Amino acid sequence: MEAAPKRDTERLRGRVALVTGAASGIGRATVERLSAEGASVVAADIQDAPGETIAANLREQGARAVFQHHDVADETSWRSCVERALTEFGGLDILVNNAGIGDIATIEETTADDWERTIAVDQTGVFLGMKTAAEALKQSGHGSIVNISSIFGASGGFGTSPAYHAAKGAVRILTKNAALHWAREGVRVNSVHPGFIDTPMLQAAKGTEYETAMIDLTPVGRLGRPEEVAACVAFLAGDDASFITGSELYVDGGYLAR
């Protein structure tokens, strides 16, 4: 059997990354992958205990990592988060807007409060992150923003979760808009669109007909792994993707190829 290719752990050496929703799932895998490739990382989340644990574990392995309590829907919290990166590590090169929430309600069942909360976290949080981090990223000289959207940012899904679909669709187009705005200022902006990924958000579906349906709808016949999404984020974050901006990368096992 041919040996697996060796990972280039120096690809992000000297870079500073800020990752939201870093305490679990795709966010955690992204923090671990960026750190493994040499980046200093600010792991941001509203979940303090697991976030602190992740940062501590990385430091024990010799990485440069800190945890920052962060509510992405709050502009003041964003300012504190970006300032933490500048204070701890002297700059900011990579922003990964990953934090998000979702639901399975229909449009009739979705209350105005539910709608506003999902939009605040999944859409406005991305806007606030890009706005707040803009100057630091422009000063980087090789700034990269990776916004985590979804397959449901480009399809109607199952006809449920209208707020989630609306927010993730907005992230897709906001990414392209910002990419054009910063195209000559040294900041690239791309979106990643995960399919059905085996994260804590899907725990309630494990072993049920919903999990079976998700697998059946995925052409490769399985759920994705957080590490597979994180690998794509790491690629877009670094110089290997230096001519890629305004693009959308689908990590969905072929779901949208149908």
Side-chain angles (χ1 to χ4, degrees):
M1 181 181 294
E2 185 176 335
K6 184 178 180 181
R7 183 181 301 169
D8 179 8
T9 57
E10 299 298 313
R11 185 163 62 169
L12 297 177
R13 182 70 58 187
R15 306 291 170 88
V16 178
L18 167 56
V19 181
T20 68
S24 64
I26 292 171
R28 175 174 180 166
T30 298
V31 165
E32 292 172 344
R33 180 60 184 257
L34 298 183
S35 177
E37 296 207 14
S40 301
V41 181
V42 177
D45 206 296
I46 59 171
Q47 301 181 78
D48 292 347
E52 291 281 12
T53 298
I54 290 162
N57 288 343
L58 290 174
R59 289 194 298 271
E60 288 176 3
Q61 298 168 27
R64 302 179 74 203
V66 295
F67 171 73
Q68 175 75 19
H69 179 87
H70 180 38
D71 176 0
V72 297
D74 184 278
E75 188 167 6
T76 300
S77 183
W78 264 113
R79 287 195 290 267
S80 297
C81 207
V82 171
E83 184 59 34
R84 183 75 185 279
L86 300 179
T87 300
E88 289 281 348
F89 303 124
L92 181 62
D93 307 288
I94 301 161
L95 171 63
V96 182
N97 282 307
N98 166 73
I101 58 175
D103 65 80
I104 57 172
T106 65
I107 196 164
E108 294 92 343
E109 297 166 338
T110 302
T111 67
D113 286 344
D114 292 338
W115 171 275
E116 294 293 346
R117 179 58 182 162
T118 299
I119 296 297
V121 174
D122 293 359
Q123 177 179 329
T124 305
V126 174
F127 156 72
L128 289 174
M130 293 197 295
K131 177 181 175 65
T132 307
E135 290 308 314
L137 290 167
K138 284 189 284 187
Q139 290 176 23
S140 159
H142 37 66
S144 177
I145 298 174
V146 182
N147 294 326
I148 307 300
S149 179
S150 168
I151 51 173
F152 291 161
S155 73
F158 306 126
T160 57
S161 316
Y164 184 81
H165 280 74
K168 292 300 187 178
V171 168
R172 175 174 175 256
I173 298 302
L174 177 60
T175 295
K176 297 179 184 301
N177 178 267
L180 293 175
H181 177 60
W182 288 324
R184 304 224 175 164
E185 297 190 68
V187 179
R188 296 179 297 103
V189 193
N190 294 288
S191 59
V192 169
H193 298 250
F196 303 118
I197 309 298
D198 191 3
T199 68
M201 288 183 68
L202 292 187
Q203 276 303 311
K206 298 292 284 184
T208 71
E209 61 188 57
Y210 298 106
E211 181 184 31
T212 301
M214 287 186 286
I215 292 172
D216 289 344
L217 286 167
T218 302
V220 301
R222 65 172 174 84
L223 299 179
R225 299 186 297 274
E227 294 79 9
E228 292 173 308
V229 182
C232 294
V233 173
F235 163 67
L236 290 172
D239 292 343
D240 285 346
S242 58
F243 200 55
I244 301 175
T245 194
S247 293
E248 50 200 73
L249 177 54
Y250 290 86
V251 191
D252 65 355
Y255 177 87
L256 281 178
R258 290 187 183 277

